C-alpha cells in the first residue's frame, strides 16, 4: 500500500509559476514510476508528466513544466511555469511499480487526493 499526499496548489495569474509536491509513503518499492495527471471541470482526467529512469510530458505542457524526484525524500515535484488559464485543474500524483514510461492511468495503482490549481487570466 502506498500513500500519496500532494501540496503546493493555489491561485496564480497567467504567466506565473507554481511547484507541486507529492510525498509518498508505504511500500513504494525500490524502482517505481511517479506521474502527474490533471482533471479540469467537465473534462476527463489526463496525463501531464511522469518520471522513472526518464521523463515524459504531454505536448500541452512540454517546455513549461518540469517533473523531478528526490528519492531520499520519496517526493516528486512538478514545477509549472508560464501557466495558462487552460492549466486550471485538480492535479493528482500517482505511483506505479512499473519501471518505465507509461501514460496509462490504469497502470498506476495508487493516487493522491488531488490539489487544486487555478490560473486566472
Amino acid at each position: 500500500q502506498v500513500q500519496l499526499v500532494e501540496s503546493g496548489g493555489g491561485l496564480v495569474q497567467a504567466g506565473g509559476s507554481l511547484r507541486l509536491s507529492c510525498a509518498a509513503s508505504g511500500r513504494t518499492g525500490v524502482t517505481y514510476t511517479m506521474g502527474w495527471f490533471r482533471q479540469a471541470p467537465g473534462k476527463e482526467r489526463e496525463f501531464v508528466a511522469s518520471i522513472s529512469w526518464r521523463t515524459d510530458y504531454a505536448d500541452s505542457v512540454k517546455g513549461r513544466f518540469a517533473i523531478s524526484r528526490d528519492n531520499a525524500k520519496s517526493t516528486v515535484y512538478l514545477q509549472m511555469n508560464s501557466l495558462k488559464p487552460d492549466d486550471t485543474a485538480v492535479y493528482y500524483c500517482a505511483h506505479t511499480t512499473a519501471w518505465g514510461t507509461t501514460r496509462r492511468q490504469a497502470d498506476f495503482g495508487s493516487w493522491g487526493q488531488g490539489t487544486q490549481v487555478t490560473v486566472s487570466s
Side-chain angles (χ1 to χ4, degrees):
Q1 194 77 351
V2 176
Q3 293 78 42
L4 303 172
V5 179
E6 301 104 333
S7 60
L11 173 64
V12 64
Q13 288 187 332
S17 298
L18 281 175
R19 189 177 82 153
L20 305 183
S21 300
C22 175
S25 60
R27 298 187 174 185
T28 59
V30 176
T31 56
Y32 56 91
T33 299
M34 296 292 292
W36 285 98
F37 294 78
R38 67 186 182 186
Q39 186 168 20
K43 295 186 178 181
E44 293 185 352
R45 189 162 59 185
E46 64 177 6
F47 169 79
V48 175
S50 68
I51 184 167
S52 55
W53 55 272
R54 55 162 289 183
T55 57
D56 184 28
Y57 297 94
D59 288 344
S60 59
V61 306
K62 200 171 294 184
R64 299 188 298 122
F65 290 11
I67 189 171
S68 61
R69 64 194 291 170
D70 183 335
N71 289 331
K73 296 181 178 179
S74 298
T75 299
V76 64
Y77 305 96
L78 186 68
Q79 178 66 44
M80 305 185 295
N81 300 324
S82 302
L83 283 162
K84 306 174 181 179
D86 284 349
D87 296 318
T88 295
V90 177
Y91 283 72
Y92 299 89
C93 72
H95 167 279
T96 175
T97 55
W99 183 237
T101 300
T102 179
R103 298 185 175 193
R104 288 177 5 115
Q105 296 185 44
D107 288 339
F108 292 83
S110 298
W111 293 80
Q113 80 287 353
T115 185
Q116 177 70 47
V117 171
T118 303
V119 184
S120 63
S121 58

